[in-house]
């Protein structure tokens, strides 16, 4: 709500920080700044973590895509347009998720997908998975609804009922990559750090969330990446994997064949 957005942006909201740390068992020693030095609760919610605790995976290797946030991730090597997220008799496709934007290209037909779910205890600061240029960026406003742990069954429809930013990146290594950045509950505010045509590097800051549930979905062209084996193994067991921002997510397939 607008009221909640103003509340957590106010300097008075700092009074909630210590309670929030205790309630969610946050390791405050990881914070770059002392918790009470943040101007408001929202600033703490998207707090910076000490850089040495979130090193960039293989910093000299642009063929490694990285995790976009401290979060729980599910990965799917193959997700085609004929497949749906079923929701009480209704279905959600990748085309729906991307709002059928012209930049969607082959991503709306078949893709590889990583779904990052941020919990309240996580720093709500998001980073780019790959290097490249922002080809397009769209803000999609809709009603705020709560996000739930798994992108299946009744939960997936909520992806269309939240504020979203669609960010398309053209990467010289990974080709077209889409980030679907989804805010939920509370103000649902997404504060982007980039705009159309900006050049970005993997591991650089992309955006920050204000207080509320948050999810980031990253879509790669199918066949362009191989997700890390431990992430794939956990999905086969029906489990999410806890990951840290800027850690390894996937490796580029250099002999990619679009067919």
């Amino acid at each position: 709500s607008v009221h909640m957005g103003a509340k957590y942006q106010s300097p008075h909201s700092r009074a909630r920080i210590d309670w929030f740390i205790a309630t969610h068992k946050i390791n405050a020693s990881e914070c770059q700044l002392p918790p009470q030095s943040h101007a408001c609760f929202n600033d703490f919610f998207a707090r910076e973590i000490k850089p040495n605790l979130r090193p960039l995976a293989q910093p000299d290797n642009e063929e490694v895509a990285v995790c976009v946030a401290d979060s729980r991730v599910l990965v799917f090597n193959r997700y085609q347009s004929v497949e749906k997220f079923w929701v009480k008799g209704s279905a959600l496709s990748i085309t729906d998720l991307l709002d059928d934007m012209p930049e969607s290209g082959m991503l709306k037909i078949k893709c590889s997908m990583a779904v990052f779910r941020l919990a309240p205890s996580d720093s709500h600061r998001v980073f780019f998975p790959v290097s490249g240029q922002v080809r397009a960026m769209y803000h999609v406003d809709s009603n705020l609804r709560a996000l739930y742990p798994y992108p299946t069954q009744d939960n997936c429809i909520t992806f269309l009922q939240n504020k979203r930013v669609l960010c398309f990146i053209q990467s010289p290594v990974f080709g077209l990559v889409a980030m679907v950045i989804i805010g939920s509950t509370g103000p649902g505010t997404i504060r982007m750090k980039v705009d159309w045509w900006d050049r970005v590097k993997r591991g650089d800051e992309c955006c920050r969330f204000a207080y509320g549930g948050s999810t980031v979905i990253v879509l790669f062209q199918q066949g362009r990446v191989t997700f890390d084996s431990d992430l794939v193994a956990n999905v086969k067991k029906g489990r999410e994997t806890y990951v840290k921002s800027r850690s390894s997510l996937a490796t580029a397939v250099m002999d990619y064949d679009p067919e």
Side-chain angles (χ1 to χ4, degrees), residues 43-63:
D43 282 0
F44 172 76
F45 194 64
R47 60 198 173 275
E48 182 181 2
I49 303 298
K50 293 174 181 176
N52 65 302
L53 299 179
R54 300 293 185 272
L56 181 66
Q58 299 190 40
D60 298 322
N61 187 356
E62 288 291 330
E63 296 175 14

Side-chain angles (χ1 to χ4, degrees), residues 122-137:
D122 297 320
S123 167
H124 277 56
R125 189 172 291 215
V126 177
F127 302 86
F128 285 104
V130 301
S131 299
Q133 186 173 28
V134 177
R135 181 172 165 184
M137 191 166 68

Side-chain angles (χ1 to χ4, degrees), residues 60-246:
D60 298 322
N61 187 356
E62 288 291 330
E63 296 175 14
V64 174
V66 298
C67 294
V68 302
D70 289 1
S71 56
R72 292 122 199 92
V73 67
L74 293 167
V75 297
F76 305 91
N77 275 311
R78 300 176 65 85
Y79 194 90
Q80 293 179 279
S81 60
V82 295
E83 296 177 286
K84 302 286 186 178
F85 297 112
W86 288 99
V87 186
K88 295 182 179 178
S90 299
L92 163 64
S93 69
I94 295 299
T95 300
D96 296 327
L97 194 65
L98 295 174
D99 265 23
D100 203 19
M101 296 300 182
E103 291 80 8
S104 301
M106 291 297 293
L107 291 176
K108 63 186 179 183
I109 300 173
K110 54 183 181 180
C111 65
S112 298
M113 177 170 61
V115 182
F116 297 89
R117 178 180 65 89
L118 284 70
S121 57
D122 297 320
S123 167
H124 277 56
R125 189 172 291 215
V126 177
F127 302 86
F128 285 104
V130 301
S131 299
Q133 186 173 28
V134 177
R135 181 172 165 184
M137 191 166 68
Y138 301 98
H139 294 257
V140 182
D141 290 307
S142 54
N143 295 328
L144 296 178
R145 290 279 300 277
L147 295 176
Y148 295 93
Y150 299 101
T152 55
Q153 303 292 329
D154 296 343
N155 301 324
C156 260
I157 197 66
T158 62
F159 288 159
L160 293 185
Q161 299 170 327
N162 291 267
K163 181 171 183 177
R164 283 173 289 152
V165 175
L166 311 179
C167 182
F168 295 91
I169 305 162
Q170 191 65 44
S171 165
V173 177
F174 293 90
L176 181 64
V177 178
M179 297 179 70
V180 185
I181 303 163
I182 307 164
S184 174
T185 66
T189 302
I190 302 167
R191 294 171 284 175
M192 297 300 297
K193 295 294 182 178
V194 296
D195 209 337
W196 288 60
W197 310 118
D198 284 351
R199 294 194 177 276
V200 300
K201 291 187 177 182
R202 67 190 182 106
D204 281 358
E205 186 178 343
C206 169
C207 66
R208 301 177 189 182
F209 287 105
Y211 181 66
S214 312
T215 296
V216 181
I217 301 175
V218 179
L219 304 175
F220 299 92
Q221 293 167 284
Q222 189 170 293
R224 279 276 194 176
V225 298
T226 300
F227 288 116
D228 289 2
S229 59
D230 59 326
L231 307 182
V232 175
N234 280 338
V235 168
K236 289 179 178 178
K237 297 174 184 176
R239 301 174 185 167
E240 296 174 299
T241 305
Y242 175 72
V243 294
K244 294 181 178 180
S245 60
R246 294 161 47 99

